[in-house]
Amino acid sequence: MATETSAALQAEINRLQLEVSSLKAQQGTEQITVGNYLLARLEQLGVTSMFGVPGDFNLGFLDLVEDHPTINWVGNCNELNAAYAADGYARVKENSIGVITTTFGVGELSATNGIAGAFSEMVPVLHLVGVPSTPQQASKPMLHHTLGDGRFDAYEKAAKQFTFSQANLRDKNDAAAEIDRVLMDCITVARPVYISLPTDLVHTKISSTRLRIPLTRSLPLNDPQVESFVLGQIVKLFEEAKGDALVLVDACTIRHDVREELNDFLKKTGFPVYAAPMGKTAVDENYERYGGIYLGAISRPEIKEKVEAAKLVLSVGAVMSDYNTGNFSYNIPTKRTIELHSDHTRVQYAAFPDIGMKQLIPKLTERLVSYHTNASKLPVPKFISEIPREGDATITHMWLWPRMATFFKPKDVIVTETGTYNDCSSTSNFGIQDVALPEKSVLLSQVLWGSIGWSVGSLLGASIAAREVGLGRTILFVGDGSLQLTVQELSVMLRVGVKPIIFLINNSGYTVERYIHGKGRKYNDIINWGWTNLFKVFGDPDGKLSRTYTVRTKDDLSKLLEDKTFASADKIQLVEVMMDKLDAPRALKMQAELSGTTNAYAAVSSPVTVA
């Protein structure tokens, strides 16, 4: 508790010092270019890789990046993939951010879908855009990459819809302060931000004084009186429930950096803990008090029973989206729920703004440690998934995911394709939910935004970040439909030397959509590619950097998984896993049925009325 208070106080001191530095900035004797000032701040934030595509309005800045001693330029095949890569990088390299650099107009708009996904999923990403010079923006000539109507601000207006804050650098006198403001927002609220850098400001000299004061991600202190009242209300509810309570963790536990506080709470209080899909790996899934994934009506029966029967649920960092709640099928009454969030707390029906969980959880731990003896006796179902004995040699989802669980190792970074859009690989996002992952493993999935192809670009960023922070193998599960959208990034993976293992689920099209609507429709079909030849096309004609495999039976896959050379991940590897196009995990079938009912496509047309 004292540590959190000290951090918050130091953050406020740093903020005030930055304000004083702004007033003195023009008097500073040490000079630095605007471009290098930005790079210095990124270096302080732990950024060592930058993604993007070169364009004539950012080339001067990219010279600085290429010459930088610690920040590496990772060029991508297109801006959308670069945004996905920055997203994956930020998810794995915690307490840092992802950075994508694009050019004005055509480049930044191409990246927008990836930036919007990062906003939706609360991932800290900086979108840096090289833009025309300040004189050109003032005179508004008909430049290339413009709309031809003089609206040079159209793109930044669009960016405001998908980023938390923006800095449109125009004046060298406030450039440093604006850069700091936006980067502080990025690291404290865990959302994308936007900076436009004109070509003529890149090499303009400014004071470096502000760089002496580090940016901080600590949030303001909770109001002590309100916090004390909230703690009292929460403790009262635990007393009324007589300790019959459990914890349900979700995405914001990870995004807002409270896992350490939460794990201390769980250890000292002994309460059972479950996770929503977006919160998977927030808690060690081999922890004896961990019971698995709660997904409303789609949950395993034993999990559903325990969660919904608890007298009190402490929800930590919830994201109540459709695919994260079993199509809104949670059966936990508000009167039995306490919600902890990064910037507010809800106790039953009452909301308390600005009471954040980062500072609240340690204090709550102190108040509830006395429940450990009784709480640790509350039964928790074992979260295991046995490999079924199936007579058929065909690889099925029911068999695949428990079998894959035996292949995973501690510190693996596992990326699964979105479970919310029209791709066969959505099966991976649902299939992985039913198996326990090893200690210190990291799962990346895009449950809320659900952009098809996200996982491939994300894998690139995740692989680079995992290499930088000392994590283990990176493993991707992706379908044929998804990989067709963003396949170009395999060439970048070869170039930068990352060595992921890619399991390509080949089931001939968009399986999720088949279950939701149109099982036999042609729009859910795709053409089959020569998947095992991809690396030859993308830069490894002799197979020195890569290996590919096709497996058609359970025995084929098991033998490969048991091969030590394959498991060592010494090269980038792609495994084409042949599966039936209508096979899918249990949870996906249930979710698809719920989604189809919600969408309620009708075969009749509505009458047209004229007013």
Side-chain angles (χ1 to χ4, degrees):
M1 182 171 66
T3 302
E4 295 300 328
T5 301
S6 298
L9 288 172
Q10 185 59 54
E12 181 63 14
I13 291 170
N14 287 350
R15 185 187 67 79
L16 293 172
Q17 287 178 328
L18 283 172
E19 289 185 5
V20 173
S21 295
S22 291
L23 297 174
K24 298 179 178 179
Q26 296 184 50
Q27 302 172 13
T29 56
E30 296 180 19
Q31 297 284 297
I32 190 172
T33 65
V34 172
N36 279 321
Y37 182 96
L38 175 56
L39 290 174
R41 279 303 194 200
L42 295 178
E43 183 180 24
Q44 290 176 356
L45 293 177
V47 175
T48 50
S49 293
M50 183 183 296
F51 305 91
V53 177
D56 58 343
F57 291 115
N58 65 23
L59 295 178
F61 175 74
L62 293 187
D63 286 341
L64 300 180
V65 177
E66 187 166 319
D67 294 339
H68 197 276
T70 63
I71 297 179
N72 181 49
W73 171 251
V74 182
N76 296 88
C77 294
N78 61 57
E79 292 87 355
L80 175 60
N81 291 352
Y84 290 158
D87 179 310
Y89 182 89
R91 290 178 191 241
V92 172
K93 195 165 187 180
E94 297 180 11
N95 297 321
S96 185
I97 66 172
V99 182
I100 169 177
T101 300
T102 65
T103 196
F104 179 61
V106 293
E108 57 184 304
L109 293 182
S110 292
T112 297
N113 178 49
I115 298 299
F119 186 95
S120 173
E121 301 252 338
M122 294 164 293
V123 181
V125 172
L126 166 64
H127 186 183
L128 177 64
V129 182
V131 299
S133 68
T134 52
Q136 287 175 320
Q137 292 186 54
S139 61
K140 296 180 173 55
M142 192 177 289
L143 290 180
H144 61 288
H145 299 340
T146 69
L147 298 169
D149 61 1
R151 289 186 295 147
F152 277 53
D153 62 347
Y155 314 130
E156 62 191 53
K157 285 182 177 179
K160 288 181 180 180
Q161 308 303 314
F162 310 110
T163 56
F164 182 83
S165 62
Q166 307 80 33
N168 304 305
L169 304 183
R170 299 290 183 269
D171 187 339
K172 70 173 186 177
N173 294 320
D174 64 5
E178 282 292 276
I179 289 169
D180 289 353
R181 174 182 63 82
V182 168
L183 291 179
M184 282 279 285
D185 284 344
C186 187
I187 62 178
T188 54
V189 302
R191 300 271 191 180
V193 295
Y194 175 97
I195 296 177
S196 65
L197 180 57
T199 55
D200 60 317
L201 281 187
V202 172
H203 296 287
T204 298
K205 294 289 187 70
I206 60 174
S207 170
S208 64
T209 302
R210 293 175 63 96
L211 290 175
R212 299 172 187 168
I213 304 167
L215 303 180
T216 178
R217 57 180 37 85
S218 296
L219 297 171
L221 288 170
N222 291 342
D223 182 289
Q225 290 185 321
V226 179
E227 184 181 65
S228 177
F229 177 79
V230 170
L231 284 167
Q233 294 297 108
I234 294 174
V235 170
K236 181 181 177 181
L237 290 178
F238 272 87
E239 291 172 350
E240 292 174 355
K242 298 180 180 179
D244 184 3
L246 56 83
V247 180
L248 182 60
V249 301
D250 209 339
C252 290
T253 305
I254 302 171
R255 303 290 191 268
H256 292 282
D257 191 29
V258 295
R259 275 186 289 191
E260 183 178 342
E261 292 82 358
L262 176 64
N263 285 323
D264 185 61
F265 173 88
L266 294 171
K267 180 180 178 181
K268 290 181 178 177
T269 62
F271 288 109
V273 58
Y274 298 81
M278 290 179 70
K280 190 173 175 68
T281 67
V283 175
D284 176 9
E285 298 196 332
N286 295 284
Y287 173 50
E288 60 183 8
R289 305 298 291 157
Y290 178 72
I293 300 296
Y294 176 67
L295 192 50
I298 300 175
S299 309
R300 287 185 184 182
E302 67 275 17
I303 295 174
K304 185 176 186 295
E305 178 186 356
K306 291 295 182 184
V307 173
E308 295 179 359
K311 292 182 180 178
L312 190 63
V313 173
L314 180 65
S315 170
V316 183
V319 178
M320 304 296 282
S321 70
D322 53 355
Y323 274 65
N324 201 40
T325 63
N327 218 50
F328 308 117
S329 62
Y330 271 25
N331 189 21
I332 308 172
T334 303
K335 65 181 180 181
R336 288 197 273 124
T337 304
I338 300 163
E339 292 184 24
L340 307 184
H341 296 275
S342 63
D343 59 357
H344 72 282
T345 299
R346 296 187 66 91
V347 182
Q348 297 177 310
Y349 301 97
F352 301 92
D354 301 321
I355 301 298
M357 59 185 172
K358 183 78 172 176
Q359 298 164 35
L360 186 65
I361 291 176
K363 296 168 187 175
L364 190 58
T365 302
E366 292 183 1
R367 300 286 294 272
L368 297 179
V369 288
S370 59
Y371 284 94
H372 185 275
T373 300
N374 291 331
S376 60
K377 295 177 182 177
L378 294 171
V380 179
K382 271 288 184 184
F383 185 52
I384 56 175
S385 187
E386 296 183 357
I387 302 174
R389 295 183 178 180
E390 298 179 339
D392 195 338
T394 303
I395 299 170
T396 65
H397 282 283
M398 186 172 290
W399 177 87
L400 174 66
W401 299 106
R403 180 64 184 88
M404 289 305 313
T406 66
F407 176 71
F408 298 141
K409 298 179 181 180
K411 293 189 175 184
D412 277 349
V413 177
I414 302 163
V415 185
T416 60
E417 181 56 45
T418 172
T420 63
Y421 203 63
N422 60 339
D423 179 51
C424 58
S425 60
S426 299
T427 55
S428 62
N429 208 11
F430 280 94
I432 203 79
Q433 301 297 337
D434 278 340
V435 300
L437 299 180
E439 181 184 10
K440 296 182 180 180
S441 60
V442 179
L443 176 67
L444 274 63
S445 60
Q446 199 189 51
V447 175
L448 178 54
W449 185 243
S451 183
I452 183 173
W454 163 85
S455 69
V456 183
S458 183
L459 175 70
L460 170 63
S463 298
I464 292 172
R467 183 169 64 184
E468 291 176 359
V469 301
L471 288 172
R473 305 173 300 182
T474 49
I475 302 171
L476 169 65
F477 293 94
V478 64
D480 44 3
S482 277
L483 189 52
Q484 286 189 358
L485 267 78
T486 47
V487 69
Q488 307 97 317
E489 294 314 295
L490 296 183
S491 66
V492 182
M493 296 177 201
L494 287 168
R495 175 167 54 80
V496 301
V498 293
K499 303 169 183 176
I501 301 174
I502 301 167
F503 290 94
L504 168 70
I505 310 299
N506 188 338
N507 49 10
S508 304
Y510 302 134
T511 297
V512 173
E513 299 293 37
R514 295 188 199 281
Y515 273 96
I516 293 175
H517 186 79
K519 252 181 192 180
R521 291 290 185 177
K522 289 187 290 185
Y523 53 67
N524 285 326
D525 297 336
I526 63 171
I527 191 169
N528 193 44
W529 287 6
W531 298 106
T532 55
N533 294 316
L534 285 179
F535 292 126
K536 293 180 180 179
V537 175
F538 287 131
D540 186 29
D542 301 323
K544 295 179 179 178
L545 305 173
S546 64
R547 299 189 194 95
T548 60
Y549 315 83
T550 298
V551 294
R552 301 179 183 277
T553 68
K554 293 182 175 75
D555 283 346
D556 288 344
L557 181 55
S558 288
K559 289 177 182 177
L560 182 62
L561 297 178
E562 292 164 5
D563 184 278
K564 292 183 179 179
T565 301
F566 173 76
S568 69
D570 62 334
K571 295 182 177 182
I572 184 171
Q573 300 175 99
L574 183 145
V575 183
E576 182 182 16
V577 183
M578 307 302 295
M579 299 184 72
D580 186 87
K581 70 179 182 180
L582 291 180
D583 186 39
R586 172 196 64 83
L588 184 146
K589 291 179 181 179
M590 296 177 70
Q591 178 66 63
E593 182 179 347
L594 290 172
S595 296
T597 302
T598 301
N599 291 340
Y601 291 110
V604 296
S605 59
S606 301
V608 177
T609 58
V610 180

